[in-house]
Amino acid sequence: MTAGVAISGTGMHPFGRFEDKTTTDMGVEAVRAALSEAGGPTFQAAFCATVYAGVAAGHKVLGALGLTGVPIVDVEAGCASGGAAVMLAAGAIRAGQYDTVLVFGIEKMPKGIIRSSFFEPWREEAGLAATPAYFALRAQRLMRESGVTKDHLAHVTVKNRMNGLDNPNAMFRKPTTAEDVLASRVVCEPLHLHMLCSPNEGAAAVVLQRADLAGTDAVTLSAAVLRSHLPGSVLGEATPMSGIDDTAILPPSTLAADAAYEEAGIGPDDLDVVECQDTDAARELLAYEELRLCARGEQPGLLADSATARGGRLPVNVSGGLLSKGEPLGASALAQVVELTTQLRGKADARQVPGARVGLAHTVGRGANAAVVIVTQ
């Protein structure tokens, strides 16, 4: 019989810029909070999600707490690193290998445009690898195929920045207007500066336990899935090229979502709240169709109906998303899981989604890794 998995503790270090703290410092705060909330359980393994923190980063965090000795594995899957770590931890519990596993994500990102060793040098020299150009190609295609306009992209930023007002862990906690978003400088057409998230710093942690060991405040981890892109996906996260028709190739987010829905035994209509990748404003709208929240081209209708706003039919990124929080890569997916757990516990204060019982977290990372985590009450 497969063991059920529960989230029994969560912890966050706020996202932002913290010049006086190291990556380890932030990780220690998040891990300490998660373990405390879970009642101080003994864990048999730990998975640390990070992209930029270097060799044995997880060991440094747990070493500072005097908690080494267990297996500690660093996990890197770009922005989806945290989701990948949750998948590994949940799988180990379901397989009966461990009863309690600590999962945490840490990052201290360099300022400016996200760069990585994923791309070959010629791609960077040709301007195909710098993230704004790559995001812009996808946004242009979305606009051409779906009727999405610049006003819609601005709307996403306005929505998420408004949600971020009530999140004490968000980097940006000021409202904005569509006019202000469109008045910010164009980074790469059609994306303006305020339509892009800011790489930053932060940490998040969760304690996963065999369900029968978890306390009454725990929520159920119903699915944790990671998928990568299929060959031929030309405008995915991996290869921003053109000239090949890939419309029949499912993107990795859809592969992950379909598998997660099946694993959880639910469908997109059962969701109460969603945290999805909004590295840029268009990325959130792409996620709507990739996660099957709407059919292709229906994003403008969802925005017009305020369906994805707080108070709407399916609130998306009530935490403020990456557009408000910023993105420390290794920590971003785990922060989504922390937010959903808080929502399902009914403890999200002003940003609470009334009656939330089913939540989905989604991240997309370099190499076209897509992670989907579903939590249920």
Side-chain angles (χ1 to χ4, degrees):
M1 180 177 177
T2 301
V5 180
I7 301 170
S8 59
T10 64
M12 282 281 297
H13 182 286
F15 287 5
R17 286 289 173 194
F18 308 94
E19 302 297 338
D20 59 337
K21 292 186 178 180
T22 66
T23 311
T24 299
D25 294 334
M26 294 185 290
V28 163
E29 287 190 32
V31 166
R32 184 178 281 142
L35 290 172
S36 175
E37 192 177 272
T42 299
F43 56 91
Q44 293 91 44
F47 293 91
C48 171
T50 186
V51 179
Y52 287 85
V55 175
H59 294 71
K60 293 171 71 175
V61 172
L62 295 186
L65 289 164
L67 294 174
T68 52
V70 300
I72 304 169
V73 181
D74 285 353
V75 179
E76 189 277 300
C79 304
S81 297
V86 171
M87 179 194 71
L88 293 171
I93 292 174
R94 290 193 178 105
Q97 187 177 16
Y98 307 120
D99 293 332
T100 302
V101 180
L102 173 67
V103 188
F104 58 102
I106 55 175
E107 212 71 83
K108 201 172 180 69
M109 300 281 298
K111 293 182 179 179
I113 293 170
I114 298 173
R115 297 185 66 181
S116 78
S117 57
F118 178 82
F119 293 108
E120 300 299 329
W122 69 265
R123 287 178 175 169
E124 287 208 325
E125 292 169 6
L128 293 171
T131 43
Y134 152 63
F135 295 157
L137 284 170
R138 288 186 321 203
Q140 290 174 16
R141 179 166 165 173
L142 174 68
M143 293 171 70
R144 187 179 69 247
E145 296 178 349
S146 69
V148 166
T149 66
K150 272 193 172 187
D151 287 339
H152 293 126
L153 300 182
H155 182 106
V156 172
T157 298
V158 171
K159 172 181 75 71
N160 291 359
R161 287 287 183 89
M162 184 62 70
N163 288 340
L165 289 175
D166 294 318
N167 186 352
N169 292 317
M171 181 176 186
F172 300 112
R173 300 188 64 192
K174 293 182 179 178
T176 189
T177 65
E179 290 75 18
D180 286 342
V181 174
L182 294 172
S184 64
R185 67 181 173 87
V186 174
V187 177
C188 198
E189 190 67 39
L191 299 176
H192 292 242
L193 181 63
H194 292 181
M195 296 175 184
L196 293 155
C197 78
S198 297
N200 64 359
E201 307 167 4
V206 298
V207 176
L208 302 187
Q209 286 192 291
R210 213 177 67 201
D212 59 308
L213 300 177
T216 56
D217 202 30
V219 305
T220 300
L221 180 68
S222 296
V225 173
L226 182 75
R227 290 290 186 272
S228 59
H229 75 289
L230 294 169
S233 178
V234 296
L235 206 55
E237 301 293 328
T239 25
M241 301 291 284
S242 61
I244 303 173
D245 182 4
D246 68 343
T247 51
I249 300 173
L250 289 177
S253 294
T254 302
L255 298 174
D258 286 350
Y261 291 137
E262 181 176 359
E263 187 173 312
I266 66 166
D269 290 341
D270 297 310
L271 299 172
D272 297 315
V273 56
V274 170
E275 290 284 308
C276 75
Q277 186 89 5
D278 59 334
T279 321
D280 63 274
R283 178 63 259 178
E284 175 169 318
L285 298 180
L286 282 166
Y288 290 0
E289 66 180 52
E290 292 174 352
L291 299 175
R292 303 194 186 280
L293 309 183
C294 71
R296 174 170 287 190
E298 291 185 352
Q299 293 95 332
L302 288 182
L303 296 179
D305 294 340
S306 298
T308 57
R310 193 163 30 154
R313 175 173 56 81
L314 180 58
V316 175
N317 285 328
V318 290
S319 69
L322 302 180
L323 289 169
S324 286
K325 294 184 298 184
E327 189 183 23
L329 299 192
S332 60
L334 285 160
Q336 292 178 332
V337 176
V338 171
E339 174 67 22
L340 294 180
T341 302
T342 306
Q343 289 284 343
L344 267 57
R345 286 171 166 168
K347 296 181 177 178
D349 298 327
R351 65 184 189 282
Q352 179 67 46
V353 176
R357 297 184 61 81
V358 183
L360 179 148
H362 159 255
T363 45
V364 184
R366 186 119 295 158
N369 298 298
V372 172
V373 175
I374 294 176
V375 295
T376 57
Q377 184 59 274

